């Protein structure tokens, strides 16, 4: 997604930090048999060590699916290090979504044709995800940063996304639902990029980026395909 043409202006002004979890890279060897995959709670807590090592003061968190679940945990644990969070197709705040996650990690949109993920390692990741704690009941009390939730209306994640929007303190959270879209990063990357620009500018970041999509869509009727339904508190 970061390499999409719609992200060109953002790439010129931002540094992307992508964190790969143990054994989840192309061509990885099998993790040791006795390896205990870190819990989603532990990952969300300890991502701060990566930022400290690289001397990064603050970030805008961007996560999709299980990654969104992790980045939300990170934001709750370390609000002073987060400008805000854009969470896409967030799932697993209540239900497991284990099978869906396994298939999603191995899907063509996630794995390039020339890449090959280790399915044994992926299964360890999925098992840790399956055993995660729920976060829905914690959002109102612990979420202290701005959150933008984005979901495809056709995805299975839209219900969890709506539930989260109701729980987070009013004024901190907005939601965008993309009509006739399942996977926003694949089917509507330009809309995600536009949402990211607007969200960052709301945090006082990248103020000079030209919001081309805003002007282009200002003449589009509300019934057009891919129309975003936005609810702002």
């Amino acid at each position: 997604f970061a390499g999409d043409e719609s992200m060109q202006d953002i790439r010129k002004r931002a540094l992307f930090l992508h964190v790969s979890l143990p054994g989840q890279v192309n061509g990885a060897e099998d993790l040791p048999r006795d390896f205990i995959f870190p819990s989603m709670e532990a990952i969300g807590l300890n991502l701060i060590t990566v930022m400290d090592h690289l001397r990064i003061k603050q970030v805008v968190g961007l996560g999709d699916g299980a990654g969104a679940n992790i980045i939300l945990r990170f934001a709750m644990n370390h609000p002073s290090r987060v400008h805000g969070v854009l969470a896409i197709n967030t799932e697993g705040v209540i239900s497991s979504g284990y099978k869906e996650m396994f298939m999603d990690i191995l899907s063509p949109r996630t794995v390039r044709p020339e890449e090959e993920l280790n399915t044994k390692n992926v299964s360890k990741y999925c098992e840790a995800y399956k055993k995660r704690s729920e976060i829905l009941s914690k959002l109102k009390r612990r979420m202290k940063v701005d959150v933008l939730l984005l979901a495809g209306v056709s995805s299975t994640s839209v219900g969890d996304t709506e539930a989260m929007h109701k729980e987070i303190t009013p004024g901190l959270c907005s939601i965008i639902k993309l009509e006739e879209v399942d996977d926003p990063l694949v089917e509507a990357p330009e809309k995600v990029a536009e949402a990211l620009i607007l969200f960052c500018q709301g945090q006082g970041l990248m103020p000079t980026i030209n919001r081309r999509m805003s002007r282009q869509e200002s003449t589009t009727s509300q019934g057009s395909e891919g129309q975003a339904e936005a609810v702002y508190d």
Side-chain angles (χ1 to χ4, degrees), residues 118-143:
N118 186 313
T119 56
K120 291 182 180 179
N121 294 347
V122 171
S123 67
K124 288 181 179 290
Y125 178 19
C126 292
E127 189 64 29
Y129 182 74
K130 182 180 178 181
K131 295 177 180 178
R132 77 200 172 282
S133 62
E134 62 89 22
I135 63 173
L136 191 64
S137 64
K138 305 172 184 176
L139 292 171
K140 187 175 185 66
R141 176 174 55 88
R142 297 187 57 194
M143 185 59 71

Side-chain angles (χ1 to χ4, degrees), residues 170-217:
L172 286 181
C173 184
S174 301
I175 182 172
I176 296 177
K177 293 180 284 185
L178 299 178
E179 297 288 349
E180 300 183 19
V181 169
D182 179 14
D183 188 339
L185 290 182
V186 172
E187 299 169 48
E190 71 287 347
K191 296 184 184 297
V192 179
E194 175 74 356
L196 178 58
I197 290 172
L198 292 172
F199 183 68
C200 288
Q201 291 181 338
Q203 309 303 313
L205 305 171
M206 298 186 288
T208 61
I209 287 188
N210 185 10
R211 302 198 300 267
R212 289 172 294 180
M213 283 293 296
S214 294
R215 294 200 301 272
Q216 292 170 358
E217 293 188 352

